[in-house]
Amino acid sequence: MTTPPPTTERRWEIDRALDDLADGETAWAACDRATRRALLLRVHAATAGHAEAWVRAAVAYKRLPDGSPLVGEEWITGPYPVLTSCGALAASLQALEENRSPVDGFTFGEAPGGRVAVRVLPHSVWDQLLLNGFSAEVWMPPGVTRQQVRDGAGLAQLRPAETNGVGVVLGAGNITSIPILDVLYELYANNRVVALKLNPVTDGLLDVFGEVLAPLVDLGAVRILTGGADVGAYLVRHPKVSHVHMTGSAATHDAIVFGPGAEGRARKAAGTPLLGKPVTSELGGVSPTIVLPGDWSEADLRYQAEHVATQKLHNGGYNCVAGQVLVVSSDWAQKDRFLAHVRAALADAPARPAYYPGSDDRVADALASYGGDAERVGGGRVLIRNVDPADPGPALTTEYFGPVLAVVELPGDARTFLDAAVRTANDRLTGTLGANLIAHPRTISTLGSALDEAIAGLRYGTIALNAWTGVGYLTATAGWGAFPGHTLDDVQSGIGVVHNALLLDGPERTVVRGPFRPAPRALLHGQPVMSPRPPWFVSNGTAATTGRLLADFAAAPRWTALPRIFASALRG
């Protein structure tokens, strides 16, 4: 069914916005790097000044209970990453102003397959203190040299006066920092002025976003629009728009690129897009969590079960990178005990409303598809057992975008299981956005280089070992997006990359590593890790306080703020 056009009044509004942006492109082209850096710092200050209102608006549309620790999610995935990204982008521009590369001062290493790795976390002393035990690398494609990385870092800011027209950003409705970060990436990485169309779910953030982006709106480089599919369709097909970037599902992507319904499917099959302009995207998929067998303590089993529950239930499960398939070894002696802990962690996680449209229907579909193997746990959550890895059923091929977790069992010891799990993740699961691995330190040591080769073999844009891939999202200097190589007619988890505040040219993936155990228990096992249970864990009782303090710190990093952050984090 074709989407009806917007009203005449709405068309005039869109036309005026695009006319403004055509003038704004000239103003943006006239801004040198120092001016653009000053604009970033003003956006940073506006974000800090309106962070409280931002979080209140997010809590309202997600209907989170007053005083719930879950409010911490809105601090950590709303204002916080925008603050850190503004700072990191500003540092990259300053480096270019001073005839340096944005990667100067970052450590380079080697990754399997002849890849150059740029260590982006930890970088500052603040990283070492606040994220002790966590690290992240950006891997470049095989064959790219260190000198090529240095020379290419900066992207469009290497030639700031060469602008690239008007871009449309179709904003996400789940994580509230996504629309702002996508706008900044379009402006700074691609030199395009931006029409941001909000997802209707987030219309309550219109005023806050207007304040946060006011420096860029006043320049004429950004306009913010609201509306439904009619506005979006008119906007992306407008002749004054040169590029579209979207966050959402592959189905929505295909409707935009090829058109809806049977006609759209026919165009997709024929490879003839309806939308004759470039489209980049960050889409979802079926994200795996691969748990390697080992000899774990009861505390390890319980903690990592909370980790798995977090990967699934953070933001209610409405994350493009939410864990959906838990892959375990059928030969692991502790498998049943671990799965019992996972079930308990799902059931015990704080209750929250199903705020995202269609969630209840998707949960019902999961229950209907898997019958007696699907169980309701903790209200609206679903745990599916005995999923056949060879069966192309919905658990492996359809992103549920909700609180549904499926379990796949594969045979073997750590090495043979890992090989089979990598093949399953690559060949059976839809999407390539993120994959998680969990392994005991002794298992990591035993596997040695085989584990690094397995990480290299996983075709995912972000891979996390003993961490959640969401840490990659929160790392401003890391790239975020699908594994490279998708096409419009087989888009999987999308095309292109965002965030990437070092402005690296063509990163392949981000690899995140974290501690297997939190402090202080890690210290008792001889591991020098100071990070307690992370504030993004759904089981963290002080997440709201810690999240607020972290956002406040990102607004103004200072030594005096650290004691309160540490105290709140330890209580969590």
Side-chain angles (χ1 to χ4, degrees):
M1 184 176 66
T2 302
T3 302
T7 64
T8 300
E9 183 178 359
R10 294 309 304 273
R11 292 199 299 273
W12 286 347
E13 178 189 357
I14 297 166
D15 292 344
R16 283 195 303 270
L18 296 177
D19 288 342
D20 290 347
L21 288 170
D23 295 334
E25 184 182 4
T26 302
W28 181 249
C31 293
D32 60 14
R33 296 188 190 108
T35 303
R36 295 180 182 194
R37 181 164 59 89
L39 287 165
L40 274 171
L41 296 179
R42 289 172 59 194
V43 171
H44 183 278
T47 302
H50 294 87
E52 182 79 40
W54 181 330
V55 170
R56 282 202 308 269
V59 166
Y61 90 81
K62 296 184 181 183
R63 307 197 306 277
L64 294 177
D66 291 339
S68 169
L70 298 175
V71 174
E73 295 178 354
E74 303 313 314
W75 285 102
I76 293 172
T77 64
Y80 174 79
V82 172
L83 291 164
T84 57
S85 290
C86 285
L89 273 173
S92 291
L93 264 68
Q94 183 169 0
L96 293 169
E97 290 173 55
E98 298 170 353
N99 294 315
R100 297 182 291 110
S101 171
V103 298
D104 287 351
F106 284 80
T107 301
F108 282 64
E110 296 180 357
R115 293 173 171 89
V116 169
V118 183
R119 189 179 181 92
V120 296
L121 179 75
H123 179 62
S124 69
V125 65
W126 309 125
D127 294 338
Q128 295 170 10
L129 291 170
L130 294 174
L131 288 167
N132 186 271
F134 288 88
S135 66
E137 295 177 333
V138 176
W139 291 10
M140 303 302 291
V144 175
T145 67
R146 298 185 183 196
Q147 191 59 48
Q148 288 173 323
V149 174
R150 287 192 173 92
D151 292 345
L155 296 178
Q157 295 311 307
L158 296 171
R159 297 168 297 279
E162 299 177 16
T163 54
N164 294 301
V166 177
V168 164
V169 167
L170 300 177
N174 56 341
I175 296 296
T176 59
S177 56
I178 292 176
I180 306 297
L181 294 176
D182 288 351
V183 166
L184 294 178
Y185 200 71
E186 281 292 274
L187 280 165
Y188 286 87
N190 299 312
N191 253 355
R192 278 189 285 267
V193 294
V194 183
L196 168 62
K197 208 288 284 186
L198 298 184
N199 186 305
V201 175
T202 64
D203 281 353
L205 284 156
L206 174 63
D207 291 343
V208 171
F209 283 177
E211 295 288 352
V212 166
L213 293 172
L216 298 165
V217 171
D218 293 344
L219 180 69
V222 173
R223 288 293 180 266
I224 307 176
L225 299 163
T226 60
D230 57 339
V231 172
Y234 182 78
L235 185 59
V236 300
R237 290 174 172 77
H238 201 285
K240 291 187 177 179
V241 169
S242 61
H243 181 273
V244 175
H245 178 79
M246 66 159 292
T247 301
S249 68
T252 301
H253 169 274
D254 287 351
I256 290 170
V257 173
F258 298 102
E263 292 183 1
R265 291 190 292 273
R267 289 191 194 96
K268 180 179 177 181
T272 54
L274 180 65
L275 192 67
K277 59 192 67 174
V279 180
T280 55
S281 51
E282 188 266 84
L283 311 175
V286 177
S287 292
T289 297
I290 299 168
V291 181
L292 276 66
D295 184 12
W296 297 12
S297 70
E298 190 71 10
D300 294 336
L301 293 167
R302 184 168 54 251
Y303 176 78
Q304 291 299 343
E306 292 177 15
H307 197 179
V308 169
T310 293
Q311 294 170 11
K312 175 72 272 178
L313 297 180
H314 181 278
N315 193 35
Y318 311 120
N319 288 333
C320 290
V321 76
Q324 180 165 309
V325 174
L326 178 61
V327 188
V328 298
S329 171
S330 56
D331 295 323
W332 184 24
Q334 295 177 299
K335 176 201 69 177
D336 290 337
R337 187 64 184 153
F338 178 66
L339 292 177
H341 278 296
V342 169
R343 185 188 182 284
L346 293 173
D348 294 343
R352 69 175 92 200
Y355 76 86
Y356 207 87
S359 176
D360 290 341
D361 290 340
R362 292 189 294 274
V363 167
D365 288 345
L367 288 165
S369 297
Y370 288 95
D373 289 324
E375 174 193 10
R376 284 190 181 273
V377 292
R381 296 139 195 181
V382 173
L383 180 64
I384 306 172
R385 295 288 304 270
N386 304 316
V387 175
D388 183 353
D391 178 19
L396 307 187
T397 58
T398 301
E399 181 188 16
Y400 281 122
F401 209 66
V404 178
L405 180 68
V407 179
V408 166
E409 297 186 19
L410 300 171
D413 60 10
R415 179 61 186 271
T416 57
F417 166 78
L418 177 60
D419 292 343
V422 169
R423 289 194 301 271
T424 298
N426 285 340
D427 300 338
R428 298 293 183 181
L429 306 188
T430 296
T432 64
L433 187 59
N436 309 285
L437 292 157
I438 298 174
H440 192 283
R442 283 195 299 272
T443 304
I444 294 173
S445 178
T446 299
L447 288 171
S449 62
L451 181 56
D452 293 331
E453 294 292 342
I455 291 172
L458 280 164
R459 297 193 296 271
Y460 287 81
T462 299
I463 299 164
L465 173 62
N466 289 337
W468 179 35
T469 47
V471 177
Y473 177 92
L474 294 176
T475 303
T477 45
W480 182 256
F483 193 76
H486 300 313
T487 57
L488 288 178
D489 57 355
D490 184 20
V491 73
Q492 296 283 320
S493 290
I495 298 170
V497 68
V498 291
H499 303 187
N500 186 28
L502 293 180
L503 301 175
L504 298 173
D505 187 8
E508 182 189 64
R509 72 180 85 194
T510 295
V511 177
V512 177
R513 292 178 172 86
F516 181 73
R517 302 180 180 95
R521 193 160 53 85
L523 299 172
L524 300 177
H525 289 267
Q527 297 164 324
V529 172
M530 300 303 295
S531 291
R533 176 188 282 108
W536 53 83
F537 267 42
V538 294
S539 54
N540 190 308
T542 62
T545 302
T546 305
R548 179 193 290 270
L549 291 171
L550 286 171
D552 176 71
F553 180 85
R558 58 207 185 277
W559 290 101
T560 55
L562 294 179
R564 291 184 66 198
I565 296 175
F566 292 151
S568 179
L570 287 169
R571 289 196 303 272

